[in-house]
Amino acid sequence: SGKSRNHAFGLAIGGGAGVGAALAASKGVVEGAYTAGIAHRKARGLGIDMPIVAAIRAIVDDGSDPEAEIEKLLARRAGLEGE
């Protein structure tokens, strides 16, 4: 949704804003920014590959470059989920 805080946060990050600036500009809590790391740790603990969650966590928690994370996602071998 265009009114979603998570959506607005992602657009800000994609537009070049830093995580801190994007969070500060939010009109409320950006749940996804705070739960990406939790979801990533849970998935890893269960042996579940969640590359998009891993990319979001890297951007939000580690300051990874969004373009670099997109390149990593696009470089993955194509195949069926669960292979």
Side-chain angles (χ1 to χ4, degrees):
S1 162
K3 296 182 181 181
S4 161
R5 294 181 299 263
N6 288 304
H7 181 78
F9 176 76
L11 286 177
I13 296 294
V19 172
L23 287 172
S26 177
K27 296 186 183 346
V29 175
V30 181
E31 298 88 351
Y34 297 103
T35 59
I38 296 165
H40 178 69
R41 283 189 299 279
K42 183 72 171 175
R44 285 183 57 137
L46 295 171
I48 299 170
D49 184 30
M50 295 181 68
I52 295 173
V53 170
I56 293 168
R57 189 217 51 85
I59 293 164
V60 173
D61 294 341
D62 297 340
S64 185
D65 176 48
E67 291 291 330
E69 293 302 321
I70 290 168
E71 288 297 321
K72 287 181 198 174
L73 289 169
L74 293 175
R76 288 173 54 93
R77 182 181 68 79
L80 297 173
E81 292 294 323
E83 284 189 320

Coordinates of all heavy atoms in Angstrom, one line a residue:
S1 N 0.8 -1.2 0.0 CA 0.0 0.0 0.0 C 0.9 1.2 0.0 O 1.9 1.3 0.7 CB -0.9 0.0 1.2 OG -1.4 1.3 1.5
G2 N 0.5 2.2 -0.7 CA 1.2 3.5 -0.8 C 1.2 4.2 0.5 O 2.0 5.1 0.7
K3 N 0.3 3.9 1.4 CA 0.2 4.5 2.8 C 1.0 3.8 3.8 O 1.1 4.2 5.0 CB -1.2 4.7 3.2 CG -2.0 5.6 2.2 CD -3.4 5.8 2.7 CE -4.1 6.7 1.7 NZ -5.5 7.0 2.1
S4 N 1.5 2.6 3.5 CA 2.3 1.8 4.4 C 3.6 2.4 4.9 O 4.3 2.9 4.0 CB 2.5 0.4 3.8 OG 3.6 -0.3 4.4
R5 N 3.9 2.4 6.2 CA 5.1 2.9 6.6 C 6.3 2.1 6.1 O 7.4 2.6 5.8 CB 5.2 2.9 8.2 CG 4.1 3.9 8.8 CD 4.2 3.9 10.3 NE 3.9 2.6 10.9 CZ 2.7 2.2 11.3 NH1 1.7 3.1 11.3 NH2 2.5 1.0 11.9
N6 N 6.1 0.7 6.0 CA 7.1 -0.1 5.4 C 7.4 0.2 4.0 O 8.6 0.3 3.5 CB 6.8 -1.6 5.6 CG 6.8 -2.1 7.0 OD1 7.8 -2.0 7.6 ND2 5.7 -2.6 7.5
H7 N 6.4 0.5 3.2 CA 6.5 0.9 1.8 C 7.2 2.2 1.7 O 8.2 2.3 0.9 CB 5.1 1.0 1.2 CG 5.1 1.3 -0.3 ND1 5.4 0.4 -1.2 CD2 4.9 2.5 -0.9 CE1 5.3 1.0 -2.4 NE2 5.0 2.2 -2.2
A8 N 6.8 3.2 2.5 CA 7.5 4.5 2.4 C 9.0 4.4 2.8 O 9.8 5.0 2.2 CB 6.8 5.5 3.4
F9 N 9.3 3.5 3.8 CA 10.6 3.3 4.3 C 11.4 2.7 3.1 O 12.6 3.1 2.8 CB 10.6 2.4 5.5 CG 12.0 2.0 6.0 CD1 12.7 2.8 6.7 CD2 12.5 0.7 5.7 CE1 14.0 2.5 7.2 CE2 13.7 0.3 6.2 CZ 14.5 1.2 6.9
G10 N 10.9 1.7 2.5 CA 11.6 1.0 1.3 C 11.8 2.0 0.2 O 12.9 2.0 -0.4
L11 N 10.9 2.9 -0.1 CA 11.0 3.8 -1.2 C 12.1 4.8 -0.8 O 13.0 5.2 -1.6 CB 9.7 4.6 -1.4 CG 8.7 3.8 -2.2 CD1 7.4 4.7 -2.3 CD2 9.1 3.4 -3.5
A12 N 12.2 5.2 0.5 CA 13.2 6.2 0.9 C 14.6 5.5 0.8 O 15.6 6.2 0.3 CB 13.0 6.6 2.3
I13 N 14.7 4.3 1.2 CA 16.0 3.6 1.1 C 16.4 3.4 -0.4 O 17.5 3.7 -0.8 CB 15.9 2.2 1.8 CG1 15.7 2.3 3.3 CG2 17.2 1.4 1.5 CD1 16.8 2.9 4.1
G14 N 15.5 3.0 -1.2 CA 15.7 2.9 -2.6 C 16.1 4.2 -3.3 O 16.8 4.2 -4.3
G15 N 15.6 5.3 -2.7 CA 15.9 6.6 -3.3 C 17.2 7.2 -2.8 O 17.5 8.3 -3.1
G16 N 17.9 6.4 -1.9 CA 19.2 6.9 -1.5 C 19.3 7.4 -0.1 O 20.4 7.7 0.4
A17 N 18.2 7.4 0.7 CA 18.2 7.8 2.1 C 18.9 6.7 2.9 O 18.8 5.5 2.6 CB 16.8 8.0 2.6
G18 N 19.6 7.1 3.9 CA 20.2 6.1 4.8 C 19.1 5.6 5.7 O 18.0 6.1 5.8
V19 N 19.3 4.5 6.4 CA 18.3 3.8 7.3 C 17.9 4.8 8.4 O 16.7 4.9 8.6 CB 18.9 2.5 7.9 CG1 18.0 2.0 8.9 CG2 19.1 1.5 6.8
G20 N 18.8 5.4 9.0 CA 18.5 6.4 10.1 C 17.6 7.5 9.6 O 16.6 7.9 10.3
A21 N 17.9 8.1 8.5 CA 17.1 9.2 7.9 C 15.7 8.7 7.5 O 14.7 9.4 7.8 CB 17.8 9.8 6.7
A22 N 15.7 7.5 6.9 CA 14.4 6.9 6.5 C 13.5 6.6 7.8 O 12.3 6.9 7.7 CB 14.5 5.7 5.7
L23 N 14.1 6.1 8.8 CA 13.4 5.9 10.1 C 12.9 7.2 10.7 O 11.8 7.3 11.1 CB 14.2 5.1 11.0 CG 14.4 3.6 10.7 CD1 15.4 3.0 11.7 CD2 13.1 2.8 10.8
A24 N 13.8 8.2 10.7 CA 13.4 9.5 11.3 C 12.3 10.1 10.5 O 11.5 10.8 11.1 CB 14.7 10.4 11.3
A25 N 12.2 9.9 9.2 CA 11.2 10.6 8.4 C 9.8 9.9 8.5 O 8.8 10.4 8.1 CB 11.6 10.6 6.9
S26 N 9.8 8.6 9.1 CA 8.6 7.9 9.2 C 7.7 8.5 10.2 O 8.1 9.1 11.2 CB 8.9 6.5 9.6 OG 7.7 5.7 9.8
K27 N 6.4 8.4 9.9 CA 5.4 9.0 10.8 C 4.9 7.9 11.9 O 3.8 8.1 12.4 CB 4.2 9.5 10.0 CG 4.6 10.6 9.1 CD 3.3 11.2 8.4 CE 3.6 12.3 7.5 NZ 4.8 13.0 7.4
G28 N 5.7 6.9 12.1 CA 5.4 5.9 13.0 C 6.4 4.8 13.0 O 7.5 5.0 12.4
V29 N 6.1 3.7 13.6 CA 7.0 2.6 13.7 C 7.1 1.9 12.4 O 6.0 1.5 11.8 CB 6.6 1.6 14.8 CG1 7.5 0.4 14.8 CG2 6.7 2.3 16.2
V30 N 8.3 1.6 11.9 CA 8.4 0.8 10.6 C 8.8 -0.6 11.1 O 9.9 -1.0 11.3 CB 9.6 1.4 9.8 CG1 9.8 0.6 8.5 CG2 9.3 2.8 9.5
E31 N 7.7 -1.4 11.2 CA 7.8 -2.8 11.8 C 8.8 -3.6 11.1 O 9.6 -4.3 11.7 CB 6.5 -3.5 11.8 CG 5.4 -2.8 12.7 CD 4.6 -1.7 11.9 OE1 5.0 -1.4 10.8 OE2 3.6 -1.3 12.5
G32 N 8.8 -3.5 9.7 CA 9.7 -4.4 8.9 C 11.2 -4.1 9.2 O 12.0 -5.0 9.2
A33 N 11.5 -2.9 9.5 CA 12.9 -2.5 9.8 C 13.4 -3.2 11.1 O 14.6 -3.5 11.2 CB 13.1 -1.0 9.9
Y34 N 12.5 -3.4 12.0 CA 12.8 -4.0 13.3 C 12.7 -5.5 13.3 O 13.2 -6.2 14.2 CB 12.0 -3.3 14.4 CG 12.3 -1.9 14.5 CD1 11.4 -0.9 14.0 CD2 13.5 -1.4 15.1 CE1 11.7 0.4 14.1 CE2 13.8 -0.1 15.2 CZ 12.9 0.8 14.7 OH 13.2 2.2 14.8
T35 N 11.9 -6.1 12.4 CA 11.7 -7.5 12.4 C 12.5 -8.3 11.4 O 12.5 -9.5 11.4 CB 10.2 -7.8 12.2 OG1 9.7 -7.3 11.0 CG2 9.3 -7.3 13.4
A36 N 13.1 -7.6 10.5 CA 13.9 -8.3 9.4 C 15.0 -9.2 10.0 O 15.2 -10.3 9.6 CB 14.5 -7.3 8.4
G37 N 15.7 -8.6 11.0 CA 16.7 -9.4 11.7 C 16.2 -10.6 12.4 O 16.8 -11.7 12.4
I38 N 15.1 -10.4 13.0 CA 14.4 -11.5 13.8 C 14.0 -12.6 12.8 O 14.2 -13.8 13.0 CB 13.2 -11.0 14.6 CG1 13.7 -10.0 15.7 CG2 12.4 -12.2 15.2 CD1 12.6 -9.2 16.3
A39 N 13.3 -12.2 11.7 CA 12.9 -13.2 10.7 C 14.1 -13.9 10.1 O 14.0 -15.2 9.9 CB 12.1 -12.5 9.6
H40 N 15.2 -13.2 9.9 CA 16.4 -13.8 9.3 C 17.0 -14.9 10.2 O 17.3 -16.0 9.8 CB 17.4 -12.7 9.0 CG 18.7 -13.2 8.4 ND1 18.8 -13.8 7.2 CD2 19.9 -13.3 8.9 CE1 20.0 -14.1 6.9 NE2 20.7 -13.8 8.0
R41 N 17.1 -14.5 11.5 CA 17.7 -15.4 12.5 C 16.8 -16.7 12.6 O 17.3 -17.8 12.7 CB 17.9 -14.8 13.8 CG 19.1 -13.9 13.9 CD 19.4 -13.4 15.3 NE 18.3 -12.6 15.9 CZ 18.1 -11.3 15.7 NH1 18.9 -10.6 14.8 NH2 17.1 -10.7 16.2
K42 N 15.5 -16.5 12.7 CA 14.5 -17.6 12.8 C 14.7 -18.5 11.6 O 14.7 -19.8 11.7 CB 13.1 -17.1 12.9 CG 12.1 -18.1 13.2 CD 12.2 -18.7 14.5 CE 11.0 -19.6 14.8 NZ 11.1 -20.3 16.1
A43 N 14.7 -18.0 10.4 CA 14.8 -18.8 9.2 C 16.1 -19.6 9.1 O 16.1 -20.8 8.8 CB 14.7 -17.9 7.9
R44 N 17.2 -18.9 9.5 CA 18.5 -19.6 9.5 C 18.4 -20.8 10.5 O 19.0 -21.8 10.3 CB 19.6 -18.6 9.8 CG 19.9 -17.8 8.6 CD 21.1 -16.9 8.9 NE 22.2 -17.7 9.3 CZ 23.5 -17.5 8.9 NH1 23.7 -16.5 8.1 NH2 24.5 -18.2 9.4
G45 N 17.9 -20.5 11.7 CA 17.8 -21.5 12.7 C 17.0 -22.7 12.3 O 17.2 -23.8 12.7
L46 N 16.0 -22.5 11.4 CA 15.2 -23.6 10.9 C 15.7 -24.2 9.6 O 15.1 -25.1 9.0 CB 13.7 -23.1 10.7 CG 13.0 -22.7 12.0 CD1 11.7 -22.0 11.6 CD2 12.8 -23.9 12.8
G47 N 16.8 -23.6 9.1 CA 17.3 -24.1 7.8 C 16.5 -23.7 6.6 O 16.6 -24.4 5.6
I48 N 15.8 -22.6 6.7 CA 15.0 -22.1 5.6 C 15.8 -20.9 4.9 O 16.2 -20.0 5.5 CB 13.7 -21.6 6.1 CG1 12.9 -22.7 6.8 CG2 12.8 -20.9 5.0 CD1 11.7 -22.2 7.5
D49 N 15.9 -21.0 3.6 CA 16.6 -20.0 2.8 C 15.5 -18.9 2.4 O 14.5 -19.2 1.8 CB 17.1 -20.6 1.5 CG 17.9 -19.6 0.7 OD1 18.5 -18.7 1.2 OD2 17.9 -19.8 -0.6
M50 N 15.8 -17.7 2.9 CA 14.9 -16.6 2.7 C 15.8 -15.4 2.2 O 16.1 -14.5 2.9 CB 14.1 -16.2 3.9 CG 13.2 -17.2 4.4 SD 12.2 -16.8 5.9 CE 11.2 -15.5 5.2
P51 N 16.2 -15.4 0.9 CA 17.1 -14.5 0.4 C 16.7 -13.0 0.4 O 17.5 -12.1 0.6 CB 17.4 -14.9 -1.0 CG 16.2 -15.8 -1.4 CD 15.8 -16.4 -0.1
I52 N 15.4 -12.8 0.2 CA 14.9 -11.4 0.3 C 15.0 -10.9 1.7 O 15.4 -9.7 1.9 CB 13.5 -11.3 -0.3 CG1 13.6 -11.6 -1.8 CG2 12.9 -9.9 -0.1 CD1 12.2 -11.7 -2.5
V53 N 14.6 -11.7 2.7 CA 14.7 -11.3 4.1 C 16.2 -11.0 4.4 O 16.5 -10.1 5.1 CB 14.1 -12.3 5.0 CG1 14.3 -12.0 6.4 CG2 12.5 -12.4 4.8
A54 N 17.1 -11.9 4.0 CA 18.5 -11.7 4.2 C 19.0 -10.4 3.6 O 19.8 -9.7 4.3 CB 19.3 -12.9 3.7
A55 N 18.5 -10.1 2.5 CA 19.0 -8.8 1.8 C 18.5 -7.6 2.6 O 19.2 -6.7 2.8 CB 18.5 -8.8 0.4
I56 N 17.2 -7.7 3.0 CA 16.6 -6.6 3.8 C 17.4 -6.4 5.1 O 17.7 -5.3 5.5 CB 15.1 -6.8 4.0 CG1 14.4 -6.7 2.7 CG2 14.6 -5.7 5.0 CD1 13.0 -7.1 2.7
R57 N 17.7 -7.5 5.8 CA 18.4 -7.5 7.0 C 19.8 -6.9 6.8 O 20.2 -6.0 7.6 CB 18.5 -8.9 7.7 CG 19.1 -8.8 9.1 CD 20.0 -10.0 9.4 NE 21.1 -10.2 8.4 CZ 22.3 -9.6 8.4 NH1 22.5 -8.6 9.3 NH2 23.1 -9.9 7.5
A58 N 20.5 -7.3 5.7 CA 21.8 -6.7 5.5 C 21.7 -5.2 5.2 O 22.6 -4.5 5.7 CB 22.4 -7.4 4.3
I59 N 20.7 -4.7 4.6 CA 20.6 -3.3 4.3 C 20.3 -2.6 5.6 O 20.9 -1.6 5.9 CB 19.5 -3.0 3.3 CG1 19.9 -3.6 1.9 CG2 19.1 -1.6 3.2 CD1 18.8 -3.7 0.9
V60 N 19.3 -3.1 6.3 CA 18.8 -2.4 7.6 C 19.8 -2.5 8.7 O 20.2 -1.5 9.4 CB 17.5 -2.9 8.0 CG1 17.0 -2.3 9.3 CG2 16.4 -2.6 6.9
D61 N 20.3 -3.7 8.9 CA 21.2 -3.9 10.1 C 22.7 -3.7 9.9 O 23.4 -3.3 10.8 CB 21.0 -5.3 10.7 CG 19.6 -5.5 11.2 OD1 18.9 -4.5 11.5 OD2 19.2 -6.7 11.4
D62 N 23.1 -4.0 8.6 CA 24.6 -3.9 8.4 C 24.9 -2.7 7.5 O 26.1 -2.5 7.2 CB 25.1 -5.1 7.7 CG 24.9 -6.4 8.5 OD1 24.8 -6.2 9.8 OD2 24.9 -7.5 8.0
G63 N 24.0 -1.9 7.0 CA 24.2 -0.8 6.1 C 24.7 -1.2 4.7 O 25.3 -0.4 4.0
S64 N 24.3 -2.4 4.3 CA 24.7 -2.9 3.0 C 24.0 -2.0 1.9 O 22.9 -1.5 2.1 CB 24.3 -4.3 2.8 OG 24.8 -4.9 1.6
D65 N 24.7 -1.9 0.8 CA 24.2 -1.1 -0.3 C 23.0 -1.8 -1.0 O 23.1 -3.0 -1.4 CB 25.3 -0.9 -1.3 CG 24.8 -0.1 -2.6 OD1 24.1 0.9 -2.4 OD2 25.1 -0.6 -3.7
P66 N 21.8 -1.2 -1.1 CA 20.7 -1.8 -1.7 C 21.0 -2.4 -3.1 O 20.5 -3.5 -3.5 CB 19.6 -0.7 -1.7 CG 20.0 0.2 -0.6 CD 21.5 0.2 -0.6
E67 N 21.7 -1.6 -3.9 CA 22.0 -2.1 -5.3 C 22.9 -3.4 -5.2 O 22.6 -4.3 -6.0 CB 22.8 -1.0 -6.0 CG 22.0 0.2 -6.4 CD 20.9 -0.1 -7.4 OE1 21.1 -0.9 -8.3 OE2 19.8 0.6 -7.3
A68 N 23.8 -3.4 -4.3 CA 24.6 -4.7 -4.1 C 23.8 -5.8 -3.7 O 23.9 -7.0 -4.3 CB 25.7 -4.4 -3.1
E69 N 22.8 -5.6 -2.9 CA 21.9 -6.7 -2.4 C 21.0 -7.2 -3.6 O 20.8 -8.4 -3.7 CB 21.1 -6.3 -1.2 CG 21.9 -6.1 0.0 CD 22.7 -7.3 0.4 OE1 22.2 -8.4 0.3 OE2 23.8 -7.1 0.9
I70 N 20.6 -6.2 -4.4 CA 19.8 -6.6 -5.6 C 20.6 -7.4 -6.5 O 20.1 -8.4 -7.1 CB 19.2 -5.3 -6.3 CG1 18.1 -4.7 -5.4 CG2 18.6 -5.7 -7.7 CD1 17.7 -3.3 -5.9
E71 N 21.8 -7.0 -6.8 CA 22.7 -7.8 -7.6 C 22.9 -9.2 -7.1 O 22.9 -10.2 -7.9 CB 24.1 -7.1 -7.8 CG 24.0 -5.8 -8.6 CD 23.6 -6.1 -10.0 OE1 24.0 -7.1 -10.6 OE2 22.9 -5.2 -10.6
K72 N 23.1 -9.4 -5.8 CA 23.2 -10.7 -5.2 C 22.0 -11.5 -5.5 O 22.0 -12.7 -5.8 CB 23.5 -10.6 -3.7 CG 24.8 -10.2 -3.3 CD 24.9 -10.2 -1.8 CE 26.0 -9.3 -1.3 NZ 26.1 -9.2 0.1
L73 N 20.8 -10.9 -5.3 CA 19.5 -11.7 -5.5 C 19.4 -12.1 -7.0 O 19.0 -13.2 -7.3 CB 18.3 -10.8 -5.1 CG 18.2 -10.6 -3.6 CD1 17.1 -9.5 -3.4 CD2 17.8 -11.9 -2.9
L74 N 19.7 -11.2 -7.9 CA 19.6 -11.5 -9.3 C 20.6 -12.5 -9.8 O 20.4 -13.2 -10.8 CB 19.7 -10.2 -10.1 CG 18.5 -9.2 -9.9 CD1 18.8 -7.9 -10.7 CD2 17.2 -9.9 -10.4
A75 N 21.7 -12.6 -9.1 CA 22.8 -13.5 -9.4 C 22.5 -15.0 -9.0 O 23.2 -15.9 -9.4 CB 24.1 -13.1 -8.9
R76 N 21.5 -15.1 -8.2 CA 21.2 -16.5 -7.7 C 20.8 -17.4 -8.8 O 20.1 -16.9 -9.8 CB 20.1 -16.4 -6.6 CG 20.5 -15.8 -5.3 CD 19.3 -15.6 -4.4 NE 18.5 -16.8 -4.2 CZ 18.7 -17.7 -3.1 NH1 19.7 -17.5 -2.3 NH2 18.0 -18.7 -3.0
R77 N 21.1 -18.7 -8.7 CA 20.7 -19.6 -9.7 C 19.2 -19.8 -9.7 O 18.5 -19.9 -8.6 CB 21.3 -21.0 -9.3 CG 21.0 -22.1 -10.3 CD 21.6 -23.4 -9.9 NE 21.0 -24.0 -8.8 CZ 19.9 -24.7 -8.7 NH1 19.1 -24.8 -9.8 NH2 19.4 -25.2 -7.6
A78 N 18.6 -19.8 -10.8 CA 17.1 -19.9 -11.0 C 16.8 -21.4 -10.7 O 17.5 -22.3 -11.0 CB 16.7 -19.6 -12.4
G79 N 15.7 -21.6 -10.0 CA 15.2 -22.9 -9.7 C 13.9 -22.9 -8.9 O 13.5 -21.8 -8.5
L80 N 13.4 -24.0 -8.6 CA 12.2 -24.1 -7.8 C 12.6 -23.8 -6.3 O 13.6 -24.2 -5.9 CB 11.6 -25.5 -7.9 CG 11.1 -25.8 -9.3 CD1 10.6 -27.3 -9.3 CD2 10.0 -24.9 -9.7
E81 N 11.7 -23.2 -5.6 CA 11.9 -22.9 -4.2 C 12.0 -24.3 -3.5 O 11.3 -25.2 -3.8 CB 10.7 -22.1 -3.6 CG 10.7 -20.7 -4.1 CD 11.8 -19.9 -3.6 OE1 12.3 -20.0 -2.5 OE2 12.3 -19.1 -4.5
G82 N 12.9 -24.4 -2.5 CA 13.0 -25.6 -1.8 C 14.0 -26.6 -2.3 O 14.2 -27.6 -1.8
E83 N 14.6 -26.2 -3.5 CA 15.7 -27.1 -4.1 C 17.0 -26.9 -3.3 O 17.3 -25.9 -2.9 CB 15.9 -26.7 -5.5 CG 14.8 -27.3 -6.4 CD 15.2 -27.1 -7.9 OE1 15.8 -26.1 -8.3 OE2 14.9 -28.0 -8.6

